[in-house]
Amino acid sequence: MKPASNTDTSRVEGNAPPEVKHSLLGFLVQSSRVSRSIAKPFRGFEAEFGSRLQLTEASVLLKAEEPGKSEGRVVVEVVVDEDMLNGGGSVHGGCIAMMIDICSTMPIYVLGASTSGYGVFGVSQSLNIVYHSPGLLGDKLRLVSTTLAVGSRALSSRCEVWNVTRHRLVASAVHIKMVPSEPKASESAKL
């Protein structure tokens, strides 16, 4: 479900326009749907965990390494809950990967929507993750994501997952996405 049109975006820091912040909040708060297999309301894995992510910053900043170019930056926080843990008692790698997938997509949208008025989320081509240390029950994690390069078709970003409670890096990742092409007339007729 999308946030109400009167959703307060003032708690989200950063210089991204309020309508862009509002769209990101809508991206995190996904509606339930009726499952085809069980014919009951079902939110799904991504919607369940995505709704726990708290957007704290959405910004467009000048890139220090490339004068004249900008980068999108998004910061999201979450507290580790029991259903996020693996059998060893730390955050499951798949759960971290899903959160990185969501969060590393957001700065790509922020940069496009804030600078050209057209933000895209794209589809994943690759997600390369390095795990550095565990996140434990009750730990507060901060996911800091920034764009690397945003072109007309290829999009890339990086994400670092920091354990705020224990002051250490949990995971780092590079996410490569693409804007899919529209199906050709002959292909869409077959569908």
Side-chain angles (χ1 to χ4, degrees):
M1 103 184 193
K2 287 198 164 207
S5 60
N6 63 352
T7 299
D8 182 13
T9 59
S10 66
R11 293 184 179 194
V12 180
E13 295 179 10
N15 63 0
E19 60 272 11
V20 172
K21 293 176 182 179
H22 190 268
S23 293
L24 291 179
L25 291 170
F27 180 63
L28 292 175
V29 181
Q30 299 179 21
S31 63
S32 63
R33 60 179 172 76
V34 174
S35 170
R36 284 183 266 174
S37 62
I38 60 173
K40 293 182 180 177
F42 176 72
R43 284 180 42 94
F45 183 73
E46 180 184 17
E48 176 60 33
F49 286 98
S51 65
R52 297 180 194 181
L53 301 173
Q54 298 296 309
L55 179 65
T56 62
E57 180 189 342
S59 300
V60 175
L61 308 168
L62 292 176
K63 287 185 93 162
E65 296 78 18
E66 291 184 81
K69 293 210 174 186
S70 298
E71 67 181 3
R73 174 183 159 94
V74 170
V75 179
V76 170
E77 294 180 345
V78 66
V79 174
V80 177
D81 206 348
E82 286 182 51
D83 59 354
M84 298 166 76
L85 302 177
N86 60 23
S90 62
V91 180
H92 191 286
C95 186
I96 289 174
M98 185 271 317
M99 290 188 293
I100 288 172
D101 183 27
I102 293 169
C103 294
S104 61
T105 297
M106 295 169 78
I108 293 168
Y109 176 83
V110 167
L111 183 61
S114 298
T115 57
S116 70
Y118 181 69
V120 297
F121 290 104
V123 295
S124 296
Q125 282 189 310
S126 71
L127 182 58
N128 185 12
I129 303 172
V130 177
Y131 297 95
H132 304 280
S133 66
L136 304 175
L137 182 63
D139 286 353
K140 183 181 204 177
L141 304 180
R142 179 176 294 131
L143 292 91
V144 180
S145 301
T146 57
T147 55
L148 290 171
V150 177
S152 60
R153 294 277 319 245
L155 318 160
S156 60
S157 62
R158 67 176 156 239
C159 181
E160 293 179 336
V161 181
W162 288 94
N163 188 325
V164 176
T165 306
R166 301 177 192 280
H167 309 288
R168 59 186 179 195
L169 185 63
V170 173
S172 56
V174 172
H175 194 178
I176 299 173
K177 303 190 76 147
M178 65 174 276
V179 177
S181 58
E182 294 293 322
K184 295 180 179 156
S186 61
E187 291 175 2
S188 61
K190 294 176 187 177
L191 300 173

